[in-house]
Amino acid sequence: MSDKILLIICDGMADRPVRQLGGKTPLEFAETPFMDKLAEIGCCGIMDPISPGIPPGSDAAHLAIFGYDPTKVKVGRGYLEAVGCGLEVEEGDIAFRCNFATLDGQGIIVDRRAGRKNIDGKVLAEAINNIKLAGGIEVTFKPTVEHRGVLVLRGENLSPEVTDIDPHRIGVPPMKAKPKTLTKDAKRTAEIINTLVKEINKILANHPYNKERVKAGLPPANTLLLRGASTKPKIKPITEKYRIKAAVVAGGALYKGVGGAVGMKIVNVEGATGTVDTNIAGKFEKAIELLKEEYNLVFLHIKAVDNLSHDGDLKGKIDFISRIDKVLGKAVEEYSLDRCIICLTADHATPVEVGQHSGDSVPIVMAGPQILSDNIKRFSERHAAQGNLNRIRGMHLMPILMNFIGRMELFEL
Ligand code: ZN
Ligand code: ZN
């Protein structure tokens, strides 16, 4: 019996038939000899990450796939991203996700991403981290990728029950934080956030870095749009639940965060960016290195498929899937499948023609020691639906995998 699992999640890889491809899905159309090989020697099925027809957010889908019921466990995006980028979040701290954005002279949002690329968040972070707030509230800001970052407030009597600053659209000013409940703490926290945002705007507007950006014809990163206020949840780590050592290899902070939140060790890989130019080979190498060590479960996340799908980039999606396949093939050749179970799936579908997450089921394959093969020889949405695994929900996956490595307790009366 093996006690090693490599769980590969290609974000948003599942799709629908595309007319331009003669009714094939991007996964069917792409060259994927190694994914097909997995299908041939392993067992396929389809998975509803949350439940049939529900379009999942990536966070909820991953939480479910790790065996937690996302309708019951409350884990905020702010907390996840903060954990994911290596910030310490203690009980009582409030974490937010945020975007650098561009305000015009009237305080209207003209670009929710401040040009998105080439923002030196580190320079601006220094200025934000120097902000002193009344009541001993500490502010920690850390930039992540492109225009994104996380902000953590630490102090007495803070509440996550506050609304977002980010209106999620342009042409309007940022919103004011409001308490979601009538508690004193929520009211106070909303006031603290509104004061903080004013202070941030003042500092960013006058920052030499932004003056340089304007001179260079770039949109200044002159505000920070906060959203997803959240605290540390109370959950039993996956490592305790199944008596395993687990690690996450991902580029995006959110995914490292979901892994970290359930107790996985966050392992960083040079060049793992969560974008199209990511170092997929490096991620696979690291994952295999961890499996060769004492790790039982390594979760490897590949984000760019989802980005390309959101952008409606059909060719990009097909090419990227083929790229994953090549690297996967090399990894499987080097780290023999008789030592490890490989499970490959997606956290949801992001059909290129829709440009957003949909509630379709996703294909899944698992191959390795003691896994019964079926008659499926291709890995795709259509083929996997005929496999022996049939149709499962995201929450079923961990027990299924853990059963194969002998980590499930006997159920008896
Ligand atoms: Zn996703
Ligand atoms: Zn997405």
Side-chain angles (χ1 to χ4, degrees), residues 285-351:
E285 266 166 40
K286 179 54 89 180
I288 286 167
E289 204 181 297
L290 292 162
L291 288 165
K292 283 182 180 166
E293 290 169 17
E294 69 275 33
Y295 287 88
N296 307 102
L297 171 68
V298 177
F299 154 52
L300 197 163
H301 180 261
I302 301 170
K303 173 68 182 162
V305 210
D306 185 54
N307 300 345
L308 292 160
S309 310
H310 280 291
D311 293 344
D313 185 348
L314 177 60
K315 186 176 180 302
K317 183 168 187 174
I318 294 167
D319 291 349
F320 200 84
I321 291 172
S322 296
R323 238 178 91 195
I324 297 172
D325 189 80
K326 279 202 189 81
V327 183
L328 170 74
K330 209 167 155 263
V332 175
E333 270 169 24
E334 279 171 21
Y335 186 65
S336 147
L337 259 176
D338 42 71
R339 284 192 288 172
C340 171
I341 291 169
I342 293 190
C343 177
L344 170 71
T345 188
D347 60 337
H348 50 77
T350 310

Side-chain angles (χ1 to χ4, degrees), residues 59 74-90 93-99 140-142 144 149-153 160 162 164 180 225-233 253-258 261:
D59 49 358
K74 268 205 146 198
V75 189
R77 288 287 281 250
Y79 170 75
L80 294 178
E81 292 223 3
V83 171
C85 76
L87 282 184
E88 285 277 329
V89 186
E90 292 172 6
D93 292 354
I94 311 294
F96 302 84
R97 309 166 70 199
C98 31
N99 279 11
T140 311
F141 171 76
K142 190 168 174 181
T144 52
V150 288
L151 187 137
V152 175
L153 290 180
V162 288
D164 293 350
K180 284 187 195 168
L225 300 174
L226 276 60
R227 63 186 190 279
S230 45
T231 48
K232 185 176 182 169
L254 177 67
Y255 308 93
K256 292 183 199 173
V258 192

